[in-house]
Amino acid sequence: MDVNERRGAIEDLVIRDGEVQFAQLALQFGVSEMTVRRDIEALSSAGVVRRISGGAIAHGGTAFEPSYGARAGRAAGPKAHIATTIVNLLSPGESVILDSGSTVASVAHAIQGRGLGLIVVTPSLTVASILADEPDTTVILTGGLVRPGELSLIGPEAERFLSQYNCDTYIAGISGIDPVRGLTEYHPQEAAVKRAAAAVARRIIVGADEAKFGRTHLVSVAPISDVEVVVTDASPEHPTIVELREQGVNITFAEAESTPPGSSALG
């Protein structure tokens, strides 16, 4: 585990548990307490946690959103495997809404070189830049207000733009998945754009690493019943995964090695 992955994992623990101790983290990650203190200092400087004597506590509640940079550096390997698995679920010539966020940016990278001939509608400047020169791929960028740091497009213009389209698939990046509260997000305007995308897609595929499960954030996006497939690196025994499967959601488990198209198992 490199430093970015470790700090991302520490951030997840703080947000989940509310408080962590230096000694506990050092034991869990197999590093020195001095290394953990440096990690906490870095997370504190980024506004993610607040240092206290012997440890750290979460800086905010359900509305607190870590920076894009912090999220992009977290679980980079699993996100790449999730992205490849998602692309294996797409058919040539599909119209696809690609969401904003670091997981879906990984999906955009996984599309490169696949020759799928997709029509991609996106509110993400990052996604658009990744796919702009991809042969046989048509990229349609929504209008809207650029959200600093995220490079996503938000606001009524983005929502109205999406309402004009009827797409095959919406690939959603989401901050929290809960069996009762459904899909949730930190930012109200970001969530509104996601709701607009979900409303015009025939199916919704959610890509989420294990840290997203059992989380509920400030704003609701969609109920679990709207989701056709969740692609994840989480364990099949994860309590949220078990509940989602009981509700009839198809779960596709990302493999450490890329899976040939058409061979990923739904369950």
Side-chain angles (χ1 to χ4, degrees), residues 88 107 178 215:
N88 289 341
V107 174
D178 180 81
R215 294 265 185 92

Side-chain angles (χ1 to χ4, degrees), residues 173-189:
I174 207 73
S175 298
I177 304 178
D178 180 81
V180 176
R181 304 302 299 176
L183 309 181
T184 58
E185 266 299 330
Y186 303 99
H187 192 275
Q189 289 180 290

Side-chain angles (χ1 to χ4, degrees), residues 247-260:
Q247 292 185 34
V249 178
N250 289 321
I251 308 295
T252 295
F253 296 99
E255 300 292 339
E257 299 296 333
S258 60
T259 305

Side-chain angles (χ1 to χ4, degrees), residues 127-139:
V127 166
S129 67
I130 293 168
L131 294 175
D133 295 323
E134 183 66 13
D136 300 322
T137 299
T138 300
V139 179

Side-chain angles (χ1 to χ4, degrees), residues 141-159:
L141 189 63
T142 72
L145 180 69
V146 177
R147 189 175 171 214
E150 296 293 316
L151 295 182
S152 59
L153 297 169
I154 58 174
E157 293 88 350
E159 296 165 44

Side-chain angles (χ1 to χ4, degrees), residues 78-92:
K79 286 178 181 177
H81 304 320
I82 289 167
T84 299
T85 304
I86 288 174
V87 175
N88 289 341
L89 299 176
L90 300 178
S91 299

Side-chain angles (χ1 to χ4, degrees), residues 2-267:
D2 66 22
V3 62
N4 288 327
E5 290 177 324
R6 186 178 65 249
R7 288 175 182 176
I10 291 171
E11 179 182 340
D12 289 335
L13 287 172
V14 176
I15 294 172
R16 186 192 70 189
D17 299 336
E19 181 176 344
V20 292
Q21 300 296 318
F22 293 143
Q24 163 211 348
L25 293 175
L27 182 63
Q28 181 168 345
F29 292 103
V31 296
S32 68
E33 285 196 33
M34 183 59 68
T35 296
V36 168
R37 288 174 188 272
R38 286 196 293 268
D39 291 338
I40 293 297
E41 289 293 345
L43 293 172
S44 178
S45 297
V48 174
V49 303
R50 181 157 60 88
R51 182 172 174 174
I52 59 173
S53 177
I57 60 174
H59 203 282
T62 60
F64 173 72
E65 182 176 20
S67 69
Y68 182 92
R71 301 197 314 273
R74 180 194 307 157
K79 286 178 181 177
H81 304 320
I82 289 167
T84 299
T85 304
I86 288 174
V87 175
N88 289 341
L89 299 176
L90 300 178
S91 299
E94 275 199 65
S95 55
V96 181
I97 301 174
L98 288 186
D99 210 350
S100 57
S102 59
T103 300
V104 183
S106 294
V107 174
H109 282 296
I111 288 170
Q112 291 179 313
R114 294 289 291 268
L116 292 173
L118 302 176
I119 297 173
V120 174
V121 181
T122 183
S124 169
L125 296 175
T126 301
V127 166
S129 67
I130 293 168
L131 294 175
D133 295 323
E134 183 66 13
D136 300 322
T137 299
T138 300
V139 179
I140 303 171
L141 189 63
T142 72
L145 180 69
V146 177
R147 189 175 171 214
E150 296 293 316
L151 295 182
S152 59
L153 297 169
I154 58 174
E157 293 88 350
E159 296 165 44
R160 283 195 296 268
F161 188 96
L162 287 165
S163 71
Q164 302 175 75
Y165 287 84
N166 297 294
C167 293
D168 296 308
T169 300
Y170 169 38
I171 298 174
I174 207 73
S175 298
I177 304 178
D178 180 81
V180 176
R181 304 302 299 176
L183 309 181
T184 58
E185 266 299 330
Y186 303 99
H187 192 275
Q189 289 180 290
E190 198 83 58
V193 173
K194 293 176 188 291
R195 282 195 296 271
V200 298
R202 182 176 57 83
R203 66 170 176 169
I204 299 174
I205 298 176
V206 175
D209 59 83
E210 185 170 10
K212 309 289 180 62
F213 290 99
R215 294 265 185 92
T216 299
H217 297 291
L218 183 65
V219 189
S220 293
V221 173
I224 287 297
S225 58
D226 285 359
V227 178
E228 181 168 316
V229 184
V230 173
V231 179
T232 184
D233 66 323
S235 164
E237 286 75 40
H238 191 290
T240 299
I241 294 292
V242 172
E243 291 190 58
L244 292 180
R245 295 178 105 173
E246 288 175 352
Q247 292 185 34
V249 178
N250 289 321
I251 308 295
T252 295
F253 296 99
E255 300 292 339
E257 299 296 333
S258 60
T259 305
S263 66
S264 56
L266 298 179

